[in-house]
Amino acid sequence: MALDRFHPLVAEWFTDRFGPPTPAQAGGWPAIASGRDTLIAAPTGSGKTLAGFLWAINALLLESLRSGGDGRLPDETSVVYVSPLKALGNDVHANLVGPLAEIRERAAAVGMALPEIRVAVRSGDTPAADRARMSRRPPHILITTPESLYILLTADGSRTFLKYARTVIVDEIHAVAQDKRGAHLTLSLERLDRLAGRRLQRIGLSATQKPVEEIGRLLTGAAGECTIVDAGHRRPWDLSVEVPGPPRGPIVANDVRDAVYDRLAALAQSHRTTLVFVNTRRLAERVAHQLGRRLGESQVAAHHGSLSRRLRLDAERRLKSGELRVVVATASLELGIDIGHVDLVCHLGTPSSIAVLLQRVGRAGHAV
């Protein structure tokens, strides 16, 4: 299929911006275009998110043209995107707004009036004014978390616009596959189908999970059939294990900690942007403080779930703009964050699983 079934505006924009589709995209689009439930399994930086979204964007564009091309779409939510992390939802929002604006500009240049395709984030961070605005004028693409989706399904105002949804995209689905969040999400997906009065198309995106067939069953439920597009799980690695400082004893001495901080600082100075992952929020603050002393307070920031929304968004913005040399994070930045200029990931301590390590390592060189 490649891009031949897309509207020429969408196909030309994609080709000019990215060139040929990646294997995940070329393999996923035929199944998605046919309306089948689809799970795309591919390594980080393989274009999975756009593989899931582009056909939905194309469908919204075609809908506006069928309605007369008057530059309007119904005030209904067509696509529900579910992300396990708030930061990933914010990142996807930013990465959708730009392409949608570029496609509209291309249409305007050839005399076509395309509608504004509204995108909004609804999570625990969303201010009350934005939530009220969303109820009055629903987004066509809603970005949310599993927990917020559950709340939206219980409120009369949000149920009013969710009942028109046609597609649900679950990103990084492997991250919720092994705990109660996954069970909770499957119930919400069934409730969304019940609210809509029909089976929604389900699209899952996964990076590091085997057996992938189990993830497909989690996505579709017991009665559903899932088309699996497995584009591989491995990219070239440059991986090393370092133990700085003197030999370890039963008690970690201060000079050992100093050696670790000095080594992290030296690595950061020899790279453009570094992400340091730790396993606790307390350690994130401690390491950020120590690296700030060595590299300059303005060059280092912490990122974890206990920080206020303002501080987290500021750290994400400064990281993406290249203002920060180091960000010390917990799991809050480990999934899908598209920051192409991060060229080094350091993991301090032992990860909880191989899948977690692969996700965190995948933040470095995160580009096709």
Side-chain angles (χ1 to χ4, degrees):
M1 169 185 165
L3 291 161
D4 56 290
R5 290 178 62 179
F6 287 88
H7 188 279
L9 276 174
V10 177
E12 291 168 9
W13 167 82
F14 183 93
T15 302
D16 291 347
R17 182 79 179 271
F18 300 106
T22 66
Q25 294 164 345
W29 283 332
I32 294 171
S34 68
R36 300 195 298 271
D37 290 348
T38 305
L39 174 64
I40 300 176
T44 58
S46 56
K48 294 190 302 298
T49 303
L50 195 54
F53 267 115
L54 197 62
W55 187 255
I57 293 172
N58 188 75
L60 287 168
L61 185 151
L62 293 176
E63 181 182 347
S64 72
L65 295 177
R66 285 194 298 268
S67 65
D70 59 357
R72 295 179 63 85
L73 279 170
D75 288 334
E76 302 167 355
T77 294
S78 175
V79 182
V80 178
Y81 169 90
V82 184
S83 157
L85 286 184
K86 296 175 185 176
L88 178 53
N90 295 332
D91 194 61
V92 168
H93 179 269
N95 289 337
L96 276 178
V97 169
L100 289 171
E102 292 170 9
I103 293 172
R104 288 186 72 199
E105 289 173 4
R106 284 174 173 263
V110 296
M112 293 177 60
L114 288 187
E116 175 194 9
I117 299 177
R118 296 190 299 275
V119 185
V121 178
R122 173 61 166 86
S123 70
D125 284 342
T126 306
D130 291 346
R131 299 181 190 184
R133 189 180 305 113
M134 195 180 302
S135 297
R136 294 192 302 269
R137 198 174 184 219
H140 301 110
I141 300 175
L142 174 66
I143 298 171
T144 188
T145 62
E147 292 74 23
S148 290
L149 177 60
Y150 172 83
I151 295 171
L152 289 168
L153 286 167
T154 64
D156 289 338
S158 49
R159 286 172 62 86
T160 301
F161 60 80
L162 280 178
K163 67 183 180 182
Y164 298 104
R166 299 190 290 267
T167 304
V168 58
I169 301 171
V170 184
D171 204 353
E172 307 290 1
I173 186 173
H174 59 277
V176 299
Q178 300 184 33
D179 57 31
K180 61 185 180 183
R181 293 184 81 196
H184 193 261
L185 177 59
T186 58
L187 292 175
S188 292
L189 294 179
E190 295 297 329
R191 291 179 65 204
L192 188 57
D193 284 351
R194 179 68 64 88
L195 173 63
R198 62 189 179 282
R199 171 77 176 196
L200 274 66
Q201 182 183 21
R202 301 182 185 182
I203 300 171
L205 310 174
S206 177
T208 50
Q209 192 68 46
K210 290 186 178 181
V212 70
E213 292 78 14
E214 290 293 329
I215 307 302
R217 281 189 281 273
L218 174 69
L219 174 68
T220 61
E225 294 185 0
C226 184
T227 298
I228 296 175
V229 179
D230 193 345
H233 290 76
R234 178 164 295 184
R235 298 176 66 196
W237 293 349
D238 180 5
L239 190 65
S240 64
V241 179
E242 298 197 16
V243 187
R248 301 297 189 263
I251 299 175
V252 179
N254 286 333
D255 56 347
V256 171
R257 293 194 179 94
D258 287 340
V260 171
Y261 298 139
D262 290 342
R263 180 57 179 155
L264 287 173
L267 287 167
Q269 286 177 323
S270 63
H271 292 80
R272 179 179 176 184
T273 307
T274 300
L275 274 177
V276 178
F277 282 105
V278 296
N279 291 325
T280 67
R281 298 170 181 181
R282 180 179 179 183
L283 188 56
E285 293 289 347
R286 181 188 304 161
V287 174
H289 171 70
Q290 292 292 338
L291 293 180
R293 290 178 56 189
R294 290 161 170 79
L295 299 171
E297 296 293 339
S298 64
Q299 296 293 300
V300 182
H303 191 288
H304 55 75
S306 292
L307 291 173
S308 68
R309 176 178 183 268
R310 180 184 63 82
L311 290 175
R312 278 186 284 111
L313 291 178
D314 181 64
E316 293 167 25
R317 178 191 62 79
R318 294 166 64 202
L319 174 62
K320 293 172 187 176
S321 66
E323 297 175 33
L324 290 172
R325 184 175 288 276
V326 181
V327 172
V328 185
T330 58
S332 59
L333 283 180
E334 78 181 23
L335 295 174
I337 309 301
D338 185 13
I339 308 163
H341 56 258
V342 171
D343 52 358
L344 178 68
V345 166
C346 297
H347 198 290
L348 188 57
T350 306
S352 58
S353 70
I354 294 297
V356 167
L357 179 64
L358 293 177
Q359 281 291 342
R360 294 179 175 183
V361 167
R363 298 313 99 211
H366 190 272
V368 175

